Amino acid sequence: MSLLEIENLTVEFQTAQGQFRAVDGVSLSVDQGELMAIVGESGSGKSVSMLALMGLLPWTATITADRLEFDGIDLVRQSARDRRKVIGKDMAMIFQEPMTSLNPCFTVGFQITEALKTHLGGSRATRRARAVELLNLVGLPEPERRLNAFPHQLSGGMNQRVMIAIAIACRPKLLIADEPTTALDVTIQAQILDLLLDLREKEGMALILITHDMGVVAETAERVSVQYAGQKVEEQKVRDLFRDPHHPYTSALLSALPERAQGKKLPTLPGVVPGLFDRPEGCLFAPRCAHAFDLCHKRQAVQAGAEDGFALCHTPLRKGVPTSLEGASLEGQVRS
Amino acid sequence: MIKLLFRRVGLMIPTFIGATLLSFLFIRMLPGDPVLLMAGERGMTDERYQRLLHEFGFDRPYWQQYLEYLWGVLQGDLGESFRTKVPVLQEFLTLFPATVELSLCAMLLATVIGIPAGVIAAIRRGRALDHGTMGTALVGYSMPIFWWALMLIIVVSGQWGLTPVSGRISLLYFFEPVTGFMLIDSLLSGQEGAFGSAVQHLILPTIVLGTIPLAVVARQTRSAMLEVLGEDYVRTARAKGLSPFRVVGIHALRNALIPVTTTIGLQIGVLFGGAILTETIFAWPGIGKWMIESVSARDYSVVQGGLLLIAVIVMVVNLMVDLMYGLINPKIRY
């Protein structure tokens, strides 16, 4: 049985200009102890879908889902009060900006033990001992002294370690890491990633890694879900995805990696993710797609089967070639 | 910490000299002659006028008078009142507790109501409760204090008869002041009903004096809270599964209180100014009323001495607020 089941999750924001759909029918499933990566550029709804799962979106957001199940609990029907018993305990999250994610007015020790106190109780002494143990676990030197430190006295990397300590304090079954290394410098990025992978192994927890760094995905994840403009456009095992991306967007992301570039110029993907006003009528990726044809601009994309990585595309690629050109009956699709 | 204290106290010296100069000049810039005012309607002979002028030293040039005044101040001598012949400092010390009592109650009212009101308005942002609270705060802030005081007296004291119109305590009670704070003295006196009477007398002046600080504190709390509620660490707190009460009341409020504390400190200076009006209307025997009466009588030494003492107290309060800032904001450690 999978640990997390998301089916057809949609998140809409009430804005002054009308409804904005940030997440559009995303489905996802994560097994116990699995490492899943969600990739996509800014504005593709990666963070929003996970924040929706955690119940951390502002009240302007409307969340609908056919199924939202975590560890056998139906999150859709659960009250906010019951949800709070799960989040921070069995399901935890760390964020992009470690320097602003910790409360500047409280010591590191307070912020770690608070999570323990809320969910596990226990005496003051046991909580403190556990906090020291956690700081050791996340590789912070002199943990006992650090407990009395304030976040501004620590570096960004140290703060992210503290955030991780808070998140894993109650031994969660699932840890969601929302671009945990984006705000850190490169040497620290690798350390934090290694730490997360290491902890996942030690604690046996599942990890969802939100990132826009394909390099990170290649090194770490088992399965990848690619999101674009709020939709999941492809999902594959990492090795298969890198070998044979089926969605033109995935393909474009991969060919923009310097390691994979051929020729002198690094290929880029022109344009940006559509916003509230320039949402295309047909396939959302069509305006930027190298393989788009008439149908793509007119009709919303359909999901392909597992053999094509569930690609949300009229003509999924196989070995870089659109399948429709391989003889699929285009005419038939237009008529139907 | 010690270094900062020395630097701040050092900065107070030029401010202090400036305050002596301003208080000295202000009262002399007013038209009217203290000696003539003292003579009253009957007036006096020219010869007697000149003699009195000489007695008070008003016939000497200003710079000489100022230096003499400054010399006295440095020795702790603020002169004595023309009218009562009591030393200024002594009068001040008898009256000051009344003003402190009133100001503290007003500040207490402002924080105890203003902070929760601001918090509630912030978490109900854009809804009826928010608009209602902030609209009321704006009205409170813009209302002329004297009008508000008179309305309260007319309605609460006059029509409903709920509170006394003026003074600090009913004439039925009499006891020697011990601390100068009526609430404490009335309890110490052991007289039945004295404390209740003191409280009753405090209610309206407290509301009147506290209204503007209340509005300022509420609005400041709301805006600080709104800013803080959007911070990442508030999201982290929620991600821990904490109750909304703990997220708002501990994680957000603790940060929002930093700018609010500064506001409260600054309001203390405003309160001394506001106290003049409030004390006059409610015949509250504090330094505000004392200053107004002394200005009318052109009681030079009382006005310049009183202004100087108020200035010193405001400076000291501001220094304390600055030092407190280090306690509530961990990012600032002296």
Side-chain angles (χ1 to χ4, degrees):
Chain A
M1 197 193 80
S2 48
L3 179 68
L4 176 70
E5 281 285 355
I6 300 176
E7 241 171 65
N8 204 11
L9 172 72
T10 298
V11 180
E12 284 185 326
F13 284 98
Q14 195 89 49
T15 68
Q17 286 82 34
Q19 290 279 339
F20 175 66
R21 187 168 285 197
V23 179
D24 189 357
V26 165
S27 300
L28 195 73
S29 95
V30 179
D31 287 335
Q32 305 261 358
E34 192 185 17
L35 205 172
M36 173 99 183
I38 303 179
V39 289
E41 63 198 292
S42 307
S44 53
K46 308 167 303 232
S47 305
V48 175
S49 51
M50 288 304 113
L51 289 173
L53 177 66
M54 293 282 289
L56 294 179
L57 289 174
W59 59 274
T60 47
T62 322
I63 304 163
T64 53
D66 291 349
R67 215 167 133 205
L68 208 58
E69 240 179 68
F70 173 75
D71 201 22
I73 307 166
D74 182 3
L75 297 179
V76 179
R77 285 209 201 92
Q78 205 180 29
S79 68
R81 200 190 179 83
D82 288 334
R83 171 88 62 106
R84 288 201 299 272
K85 289 180 188 152
V86 178
I87 68 167
K89 182 170 184 284
D90 295 327
M91 178 162 60
M93 188 161 178
I94 59 171
F95 305 99
Q96 195 172 340
E97 292 284 348
M99 293 308 277
T100 56
S101 291
L102 288 167
N103 196 322
C105 283
F106 296 105
T107 60
V108 162
F110 176 89
Q111 299 190 54
I112 297 175
T113 48
E114 187 183 32
L116 295 167
K117 189 178 164 189
T118 310
H119 295 291
L120 304 178
S123 73
R124 219 185 161 81
T126 53
R127 288 199 298 264
R128 204 181 154 82
R130 170 73 174 147
V132 172
E133 183 189 325
L134 282 164
L135 288 184
N136 255 323
L137 206 59
V138 297
L140 211 63
E142 299 181 80
E144 256 130 77
R145 205 164 63 87
R146 299 288 183 218
L147 284 183
N148 298 321
F150 285 95
H152 70 273
Q153 294 165 326
L154 305 178
S155 68
M158 283 168 149
N159 274 330
Q160 194 61 299
R161 285 174 198 270
V162 172
M163 278 298 290
I164 294 171
I166 293 172
I168 64 168
C170 305
R171 299 200 166 85
K173 293 172 181 156
L174 172 67
L175 177 64
I176 302 165
D178 184 359
E179 305 201 22
T181 59
T182 310
L184 305 173
D185 53 82
V186 184
T187 47
I188 310 294
Q189 283 186 6
Q191 291 178 16
I192 294 290
L193 264 182
D194 285 345
L195 172 66
L196 282 174
L197 298 179
D198 193 40
L199 286 173
R200 172 183 157 245
E201 207 132 290
K202 271 188 204 156
E203 305 278 321
M205 62 187 177
L207 180 63
I208 295 180
L209 189 63
I210 300 175
T211 178
H212 52 237
D213 187 341
M214 274 292 188
V216 169
V217 175
E219 284 168 36
T220 57
E222 293 164 347
R223 250 175 345 123
V224 193
S225 162
V226 183
Q227 282 198 20
Y228 181 78
Q231 298 176 326
K232 185 174 86 171
V233 294
E234 181 164 358
E235 184 188 318
Q236 282 209 74
K237 289 218 164 102
V238 169
R239 206 181 315 152
D240 299 338
L241 184 99
F242 275 79
R243 202 175 50 217
D244 186 11
H246 294 305
H247 195 280
Y249 178 59
T250 319
S251 166
L253 279 183
L254 289 176
S255 54
L257 283 177
E259 297 89 334
R260 293 166 68 99
Q262 292 154 349
K264 269 191 169 172
K265 254 189 162 175
L266 190 65
T268 55
L269 180 57
V272 289
V273 181
L276 184 54
F277 298 110
D278 52 357
R279 218 170 159 82
E281 198 183 323
C283 169
L284 294 182
F285 186 58
R288 302 170 74 186
C289 182
H291 306 286
F293 56 102
D294 289 352
L295 181 71
C296 302
H297 293 289
K298 285 184 194 133
R299 182 110 30 112
Q300 290 187 0
V302 287
Q303 197 172 48
E307 73 282 2
D308 284 328
F310 307 103
L312 197 66
C313 183
H314 288 297
T315 65
L317 306 177
R318 279 185 195 152
K319 302 278 169 208
V321 183
T323 42
S324 60
L325 299 183
E326 287 178 335
S329 78
L330 248 182
E331 295 306 310
Q333 280 184 26
V334 174
R335 246 180 268 124
S336 62
Chain B
M1 178 78 192
I2 299 292
K3 217 170 122 192
L4 174 107
L5 201 63
F6 271 109
R7 207 175 58 222
R8 289 298 311 264
V9 172
L11 271 174
M12 279 166 79
I13 294 170
T15 322
F16 179 79
I17 305 268
T20 58
L21 187 61
L22 283 179
S23 58
F24 176 85
L25 285 179
F26 270 154
I27 185 66
R28 281 168 177 77
M29 273 155 57
L30 288 179
D33 187 320
V35 179
L36 279 182
L37 277 170
M38 229 188 301
E41 282 182 3
R42 278 180 302 151
M44 56 173 72
T45 62
D46 198 45
E47 182 209 354
R48 184 168 156 72
Y49 174 73
Q50 291 299 338
R51 209 183 40 168
L52 278 174
L53 216 54
H54 182 74
E55 219 168 83
F56 289 122
F58 293 150
D59 55 344
R60 285 171 300 156
Y62 277 178
W63 65 268
Q64 224 175 348
Q65 290 184 41
Y66 174 67
L67 286 182
E68 196 174 304
Y69 163 58
L70 195 60
W71 183 239
V73 167
L74 292 179
Q75 292 170 315
D77 176 18
L78 292 172
E80 58 184 35
S81 163
F82 300 156
R83 293 178 298 157
T84 59
K85 305 291 174 204
V86 177
V88 171
L89 191 64
Q90 191 189 325
E91 274 200 343
F92 180 86
L93 290 179
T94 359
L95 297 172
F96 189 54
T99 300
V100 172
E101 187 172 45
L102 179 57
S103 302
L104 281 185
C105 288
M107 216 57 236
L108 196 70
L109 177 85
T111 42
V112 166
I113 300 181
I115 291 177
V119 170
I120 290 170
I123 53 182
R124 289 266 171 267
R125 175 192 200 170
R127 320 230 185 130
L129 198 57
D130 178 22
H131 293 311
T133 318
M134 286 305 114
T136 314
L138 189 63
V139 170
Y141 188 70
S142 337
M143 206 161 34
I145 282 297
F146 67 90
W147 179 83
W148 175 224
L150 292 177
M151 283 300 131
L152 281 177
I153 291 176
I154 291 171
V155 177
V156 181
S157 307
Q159 292 186 356
W160 299 344
L162 292 177
T163 59
V165 177
S166 65
R168 290 182 82 186
I169 194 158
S170 163
L171 292 173
L172 294 172
Y173 307 100
F174 182 79
F175 37 82
E176 281 300 318
V178 182
T179 59
F181 296 100
M182 195 56 84
L183 288 178
I184 300 174
D185 287 351
S186 62
L187 278 179
L188 291 179
S189 76
Q191 295 181 31
E192 204 180 325
F195 180 71
S197 172
V199 171
Q200 271 194 338
H201 280 79
L202 246 176
I203 293 175
L204 284 193
T206 299
I207 294 176
V208 169
L209 188 58
T211 298
I212 287 184
L214 169 61
V216 173
V217 168
R219 293 180 71 85
Q220 173 77 53
T221 305
R222 176 183 179 268
S223 71
M225 205 61 191
L226 279 181
E227 202 175 309
V228 166
L229 283 176
E231 293 285 347
D232 288 347
Y233 51 78
V234 172
R235 186 181 58 191
T236 306
R238 293 205 290 143
K240 283 182 188 172
L242 305 178
S243 67
F245 184 78
R246 209 177 151 82
V247 171
V248 172
I250 299 212
H251 282 264
L253 187 59
R254 180 67 177 74
N255 284 276
L257 279 184
I258 295 172
V260 173
T261 310
T262 316
T263 310
I264 291 175
L266 291 175
Q267 285 299 313
I268 292 178
V270 177
L271 275 189
F272 283 118
I276 292 180
L277 216 56
T278 312
E279 287 179 2
T280 309
I281 294 171
F282 288 98
W284 191 265
I287 51 166
K289 187 161 165 284
W290 177 57
M291 291 300 293
I292 285 287
E293 287 165 2
S294 306
V295 170
S296 311
R298 303 292 184 275
D299 198 337
Y300 283 9
S301 43
V302 171
V303 175
Q304 61 198 21
L307 280 179
L308 186 63
L309 287 169
I310 293 177
V312 169
I313 285 159
V314 171
M315 282 192 281
V316 170
V317 167
N318 280 346
L319 177 66
M320 289 193 324
V321 170
D322 279 359
L323 295 181
M324 272 236 325
Y325 205 69
L327 290 182
I328 58 167
N329 188 352
K331 283 193 189 172
I332 299 178
R333 285 275 186 265
Y334 305 118

